[in-house]
Amino acid sequence: MNCIFISPNYPAGHWHYCAALRDAGCNVLGIGDAGYESFPYELRGNLSDYIRIGDIHNYDEVYRACASLIGKWGRVDRIETLNPYWSTLVDALRAEFCGRAGRPDDYYALKMSLRDEECGLPESIKNVSAKKAVEFAQQAGFPVLCVPLCDKTLGVHTVESEAELKKLFSKNGKDAFAVFAQHKGEPVSLDGYIRDGRVVVCTAQLIVGKGIMYSLDVTEGLTARAAECVSTLLPGDGFFHIDAVRLTGAVKGVGKKGDIVFNNISEAPGHEYIMDCMNAIYGCDVRSLWAAGKLGEDELEPKLCAAVVSRSFERSYKNSHEKVLRRLNIKLVKHGLTAEPDKGEFGEYVYIFTGENQAELRRYIKFITEDFA
């Protein structure tokens, strides 16, 4: 089996997916605009071939690179990317080389036409001028989320002010973005995989501080809402990430205190630490099942809760690293230095561990993060 990976070096921590594909018997063929010599050893060791091109935005360049790899390695079975920025490009390449029908602009127009309150997402406005966008944002309250309507290379923007919103529209023109209100509350990352319209794995992580998160219970109702939104908004099977919040108070027309409501959906697996939590929660290797095409064939049931906690070398903690290792013992899934790109968000050292319930996770979080008195 041959799999073409677009931009395999980003996100940096997701080299695990290339490794899982290689372990499943795939030839992993990369295309990107970064130098092969800049890739970490773990990624280089799992790429069978790599073509560097000048600009991934240039469809003809990417097309010729795909054709070159097919000429060398034979028929391509899969085309993947873990960077949602390139998902429309991958959709077009799959139509060209894997026989999947559908034009990217048609798919995007359909996708955006369906993004409304009926899909469980916040109120939105689209096909508007800068003036109308500002009026909507003033009524909904900042921040607002701006999602490109057709040209996905514009990227998704969280806009915090009126001036920033005007600048974004003046630069890109009328009708460039749909503008979404954002529910307010405690941030939650909802991540999973959907296959044939069914969410086969799903975890919710409450983000309680910089580099600290722990899993919440995922109810059947929450999974059903995720399945409805994701299957409506995203084509085919794949990983998804939902930016959500847990309401800190009742909001009329939205939900009661403690409800999890959705703000935005993207076509991407969660951060590597979230994926490690997912593996621990379900007691399996989600990446390997995905690589082998078996994710969703068997029923998976959550077994434990999991948490991510990070430390900074600039702070003094009550309990030493050695004490943490002794206390968590077999509960530890992994621990170690964070990768360079993650230090701003996760600090210098990270612990991932399991627990029977959320109360146990919170006790361990306190033990790890308590400052030296």
Side-chain angles (χ1 to χ4, degrees), residues 12 49 61 70 94 114 120 124 129 153 201 236 259 269 274 286-287 332 335 342 344 346 349 371:
D49 203 346
E61 269 197 88
I70 290 169
R94 285 170 177 166
L114 292 169
S124 66
S129 63
T153 63
V201 292
D259 283 351
I274 287 178
V286 171
R287 296 184 185 96
L332 270 173
H335 65 92
D342 295 330
F346 287 95
Y349 204 91
D371 283 331

Side-chain angles (χ1 to χ4, degrees), residues 238-312:
F239 290 99
F240 62 87
H241 165 74
I242 299 177
D243 287 317
V245 294
R246 187 169 70 173
L247 298 177
T248 54
V251 178
K252 186 176 180 180
V254 176
K256 63 182 184 298
K257 180 180 180 180
D259 283 351
I260 295 176
V261 295
F262 303 163
N263 275 337
N264 189 47
I265 298 174
S266 63
E267 308 149 75
H271 186 278
E272 60 177 309
Y273 295 151
I274 287 178
M275 295 305 298
D276 288 331
C277 285
M278 189 179 291
N279 290 342
I281 290 167
Y282 282 91
C284 65
D285 187 336
V286 171
R287 296 184 185 96
S288 293
L289 290 173
W290 165 81
K294 296 180 179 179
L295 189 55
E297 285 188 355
D298 298 321
E299 202 68 35
L300 294 173
E301 294 290 339
K303 298 177 174 62
L304 294 165
C305 297
V308 177
V309 179
S310 60
R311 278 185 168 189
S312 169

Side-chain angles (χ1 to χ4, degrees), residues 7 18 59 63 79 144 154 181 196 203 274 283 286 296 301 310 338:
S7 192
C18 289
Y59 185 80
Y63 179 93
I79 300 177
V144 292
L154 295 178
D196 299 327
T203 62
I274 287 178
V286 171
E301 294 290 339
S310 60
T338 56

